[in-house]
Amino acid sequence: MGKENHLAFCKAELRSVFLSTKAGKPDNKLKYRVEGLFHAAKLLGLLSTEQANAIIESEHQAVFGESGSERLKRKNQLKQLRESDPDAYFNIPTVERL
């Protein structure tokens, strides 16, 4: 498998991880396998840490429509709202709380 094929495979598998998470059915086995693929690519010199992070961020943006840090911030705000005012939290439509 050449460099481009390996990276394309990594991207496709990463997208699968994000899509299953978005669907509410996270697949940890696949997630850990993808982490291994990226680690192997770095060890083989096919990918730098910066390039791996850029791929992850790009795929996250494509699937979730926001960066990983934006999504984490939004999820934390929702968690705080749920703890402080459950009624306000549950007044937000479920699809917006994902």
mmCIF file of all heavy atoms in Angstrom, residues 32-53:
data_model
loop_
_atom_site.group_PDB
_atom_site.id
_atom_site.type_symbol
_atom_site.label_atom_id
_atom_site.label_comp_id
_atom_site.label_asym_id
_atom_site.label_seq_id
_atom_site.Cartn_x
_atom_site.Cartn_y
_atom_site.Cartn_z
ATOM 1 N N TYR A 32 -10.135 3.043 18.063
ATOM 2 C CA TYR A 32 -8.781 2.656 18.459
ATOM 3 C C TYR A 32 -7.978 2.127 17.279
ATOM 4 O O TYR A 32 -6.771 2.335 17.179
ATOM 5 C CB TYR A 32 -8.829 1.638 19.591
ATOM 6 C CG TYR A 32 -9.516 2.166 20.826
ATOM 7 C CD1 TYR A 32 -10.431 1.405 21.530
ATOM 8 C CD2 TYR A 32 -9.281 3.464 21.282
ATOM 9 C CE1 TYR A 32 -11.081 1.902 22.650
ATOM 10 C CE2 TYR A 32 -9.926 3.972 22.397
ATOM 11 C CZ TYR A 32 -10.813 3.180 23.078
ATOM 12 O OH TYR A 32 -11.451 3.677 24.188
ATOM 13 N N ARG A 33 -8.664 1.462 16.348
ATOM 14 C CA ARG A 33 -7.985 0.980 15.149
ATOM 15 C C ARG A 33 -7.482 2.159 14.318
ATOM 16 O O ARG A 33 -6.349 2.156 13.821
ATOM 17 C CB ARG A 33 -8.951 0.130 14.326
ATOM 18 C CG ARG A 33 -8.276 -0.579 13.179
ATOM 19 C CD ARG A 33 -9.216 -1.479 12.403
ATOM 20 N NE ARG A 33 -9.989 -2.331 13.278
ATOM 21 C CZ ARG A 33 -11.276 -2.622 13.072
ATOM 22 N NH1 ARG A 33 -11.910 -2.140 12.024
ATOM 23 N NH2 ARG A 33 -11.928 -3.402 13.899
ATOM 24 N N VAL A 34 -8.304 3.199 14.204
ATOM 25 C CA VAL A 34 -7.911 4.391 13.440
ATOM 26 C C VAL A 34 -6.739 5.099 14.122
ATOM 27 O O VAL A 34 -5.813 5.555 13.463
ATOM 28 C CB VAL A 34 -9.114 5.336 13.237
ATOM 29 C CG1 VAL A 34 -8.679 6.660 12.653
ATOM 30 C CG2 VAL A 34 -10.136 4.679 12.335
ATOM 31 N N GLU A 35 -6.781 5.174 15.450
ATOM 32 C CA GLU A 35 -5.649 5.758 16.174
ATOM 33 C C GLU A 35 -4.370 4.990 15.843
ATOM 34 O O GLU A 35 -3.309 5.588 15.638
ATOM 35 C CB GLU A 35 -5.899 5.731 17.681
ATOM 36 C CG GLU A 35 -6.920 6.732 18.143
ATOM 37 C CD GLU A 35 -7.219 6.636 19.637
ATOM 38 O OE1 GLU A 35 -6.597 5.804 20.344
ATOM 39 O OE2 GLU A 35 -8.083 7.392 20.100
ATOM 40 N N GLY A 36 -4.462 3.671 15.759
ATOM 41 C CA GLY A 36 -3.313 2.845 15.393
ATOM 42 C C GLY A 36 -2.835 3.116 13.983
ATOM 43 O O GLY A 36 -1.621 3.150 13.722
ATOM 44 N N LEU A 37 -3.780 3.314 13.056
ATOM 45 C CA LEU A 37 -3.401 3.621 11.673
ATOM 46 C C LEU A 37 -2.629 4.937 11.593
ATOM 47 O O LEU A 37 -1.617 5.035 10.890
ATOM 48 C CB LEU A 37 -4.652 3.708 10.792
ATOM 49 C CG LEU A 37 -5.365 2.408 10.463
ATOM 50 C CD1 LEU A 37 -6.713 2.684 9.813
ATOM 51 C CD2 LEU A 37 -4.495 1.553 9.563
ATOM 52 N N PHE A 38 -3.101 5.938 12.322
ATOM 53 C CA PHE A 38 -2.418 7.226 12.314
ATOM 54 C C PHE A 38 -1.051 7.122 12.992
ATOM 55 O O PHE A 38 -0.074 7.712 12.530
ATOM 56 C CB PHE A 38 -3.270 8.309 12.980
ATOM 57 C CG PHE A 38 -4.247 8.961 12.044
ATOM 58 C CD1 PHE A 38 -5.513 8.425 11.861
ATOM 59 C CD2 PHE A 38 -3.906 10.094 11.332
ATOM 60 C CE1 PHE A 38 -6.420 9.009 10.996
ATOM 61 C CE2 PHE A 38 -4.797 10.690 10.464
ATOM 62 C CZ PHE A 38 -6.060 10.143 10.292
ATOM 63 N N HIS A 39 -0.986 6.362 14.061
ATOM 64 C CA HIS A 39 0.291 6.185 14.759
ATOM 65 C C HIS A 39 1.295 5.479 13.847
ATOM 66 O O HIS A 39 2.462 5.883 13.766
ATOM 67 C CB HIS A 39 0.074 5.387 16.047
ATOM 68 C CG HIS A 39 1.284 5.275 16.898
ATOM 69 N ND1 HIS A 39 1.854 6.355 17.532
ATOM 70 C CD2 HIS A 39 2.063 4.211 17.209
ATOM 71 C CE1 HIS A 39 2.913 5.965 18.205
ATOM 72 N NE2 HIS A 39 3.065 4.663 18.019
ATOM 73 N N ALA A 40 0.831 4.455 13.146
ATOM 74 C CA ALA A 40 1.706 3.739 12.216
ATOM 75 C C ALA A 40 2.202 4.668 11.102
ATOM 76 O O ALA A 40 3.383 4.632 10.736
ATOM 77 C CB ALA A 40 0.973 2.548 11.622
ATOM 78 N N ALA A 41 1.308 5.491 10.590
ATOM 79 C CA ALA A 41 1.693 6.427 9.528
ATOM 80 C C ALA A 41 2.769 7.392 10.020
ATOM 81 O O ALA A 41 3.714 7.705 9.288
ATOM 82 C CB ALA A 41 0.478 7.201 9.026
ATOM 83 N N LYS A 42 2.654 7.823 11.275
ATOM 84 C CA LYS A 42 3.674 8.725 11.833
ATOM 85 C C LYS A 42 4.995 7.987 12.010
ATOM 86 O O LYS A 42 6.051 8.522 11.675
ATOM 87 C CB LYS A 42 3.201 9.307 13.162
ATOM 88 C CG LYS A 42 2.120 10.357 13.004
ATOM 89 C CD LYS A 42 1.875 11.092 14.301
ATOM 90 C CE LYS A 42 0.591 10.617 14.934
ATOM 91 N NZ LYS A 42 0.259 11.312 16.176
ATOM 92 N N LEU A 43 4.940 6.758 12.504
ATOM 93 C CA LEU A 43 6.169 5.985 12.713
ATOM 94 C C LEU A 43 6.877 5.666 11.399
ATOM 95 O O LEU A 43 8.105 5.631 11.343
ATOM 96 C CB LEU A 43 5.861 4.683 13.450
ATOM 97 C CG LEU A 43 5.509 4.811 14.923
ATOM 98 C CD1 LEU A 43 5.088 3.461 15.493
ATOM 99 C CD2 LEU A 43 6.676 5.379 15.715
ATOM 100 N N LEU A 44 6.100 5.454 10.351
ATOM 101 C CA LEU A 44 6.675 5.144 9.044
ATOM 102 C C LEU A 44 7.119 6.387 8.275
ATOM 103 O O LEU A 44 7.651 6.282 7.176
ATOM 104 C CB LEU A 44 5.675 4.355 8.202
ATOM 105 C CG LEU A 44 5.359 2.948 8.716
ATOM 106 C CD1 LEU A 44 4.188 2.354 7.942
ATOM 107 C CD2 LEU A 44 6.597 2.060 8.603
ATOM 108 N N GLY A 45 6.865 7.549 8.858
ATOM 109 C CA GLY A 45 7.269 8.788 8.208
ATOM 110 C C GLY A 45 6.343 9.221 7.088
ATOM 111 O O GLY A 45 6.721 10.055 6.261
ATOM 112 N N LEU A 46 5.148 8.653 7.040
ATOM 113 C CA LEU A 46 4.189 9.018 6.003
ATOM 114 C C LEU A 46 3.428 10.286 6.357
ATOM 115 O O LEU A 46 2.819 10.911 5.489
ATOM 116 C CB LEU A 46 3.179 7.882 5.794
ATOM 117 C CG LEU A 46 3.729 6.512 5.428
ATOM 118 C CD1 LEU A 46 2.601 5.502 5.353
ATOM 119 C CD2 LEU A 46 4.485 6.585 4.107
ATOM 120 N N LEU A 47 3.469 10.649 7.650
ATOM 121 C CA LEU A 47 2.616 11.703 8.150
ATOM 122 C C LEU A 47 3.272 12.330 9.371
ATOM 123 O O LEU A 47 3.811 11.631 10.215
ATOM 124 C CB LEU A 47 1.287 11.048 8.568
ATOM 125 C CG LEU A 47 0.031 11.821 8.780
ATOM 126 C CD1 LEU A 47 -0.374 12.533 7.502
ATOM 127 C CD2 LEU A 47 -1.079 10.871 9.193
ATOM 128 N N SER A 48 3.240 13.642 9.449
ATOM 129 C CA SER A 48 3.727 14.317 10.653
ATOM 130 C C SER A 48 2.548 14.489 11.613
ATOM 131 O O SER A 48 1.393 14.346 11.236
ATOM 132 C CB SER A 48 4.312 15.687 10.300
ATOM 133 O OG SER A 48 3.285 16.574 9.913
ATOM 134 N N THR A 49 2.853 14.827 12.839
ATOM 135 C CA THR A 49 1.802 15.066 13.827
ATOM 136 C C THR A 49 0.902 16.208 13.370
ATOM 137 O O THR A 49 -0.325 16.136 13.508
ATOM 138 C CB THR A 49 2.424 15.383 15.200
ATOM 139 O OG1 THR A 49 3.222 14.270 15.605
ATOM 140 C CG2 THR A 49 1.368 15.652 16.242
ATOM 141 N N GLU A 50 1.497 17.245 12.807
ATOM 142 C CA GLU A 50 0.723 18.390 12.332
ATOM 143 C C GLU A 50 -0.212 17.988 11.192
ATOM 144 O O GLU A 50 -1.361 18.421 11.133
ATOM 145 C CB GLU A 50 1.649 19.522 11.879
ATOM 146 C CG GLU A 50 2.448 20.162 12.990
ATOM 147 C CD GLU A 50 3.666 19.336 13.429
ATOM 148 O OE1 GLU A 50 4.151 18.467 12.643
ATOM 149 O OE2 GLU A 50 4.101 19.520 14.569
ATOM 150 N N GLN A 51 0.295 17.161 10.282
ATOM 151 C CA GLN A 51 -0.534 16.702 9.172
ATOM 152 C C GLN A 51 -1.680 15.829 9.677
ATOM 153 O O GLN A 51 -2.808 15.948 9.201
ATOM 154 C CB GLN A 51 0.306 15.923 8.163
ATOM 155 C CG GLN A 51 1.292 16.774 7.394
ATOM 156 C CD GLN A 51 2.273 15.921 6.596
ATOM 157 O OE1 GLN A 51 2.759 14.907 7.095
ATOM 158 N NE2 GLN A 51 2.549 16.348 5.366
ATOM 159 N N ALA A 52 -1.390 14.969 10.646
ATOM 160 C CA ALA A 52 -2.429 14.109 11.226
ATOM 161 C C ALA A 52 -3.505 14.963 11.888
ATOM 162 O O ALA A 52 -4.700 14.721 11.693
ATOM 163 C CB ALA A 52 -1.818 13.139 12.238
ATOM 164 N N ASN A 53 -3.078 15.965 12.647
ATOM 165 C CA ASN A 53 -4.044 16.853 13.303
ATOM 166 C C ASN A 53 -4.892 17.602 12.281
ATOM 167 O O ASN A 53 -6.093 17.812 12.492
ATOM 168 C CB ASN A 53 -3.335 17.833 14.235
ATOM 169 C CG ASN A 53 -2.774 17.153 15.459
ATOM 170 O OD1 ASN A 53 -3.217 16.072 15.844
ATOM 171 N ND2 ASN A 53 -1.793 17.772 16.083
#
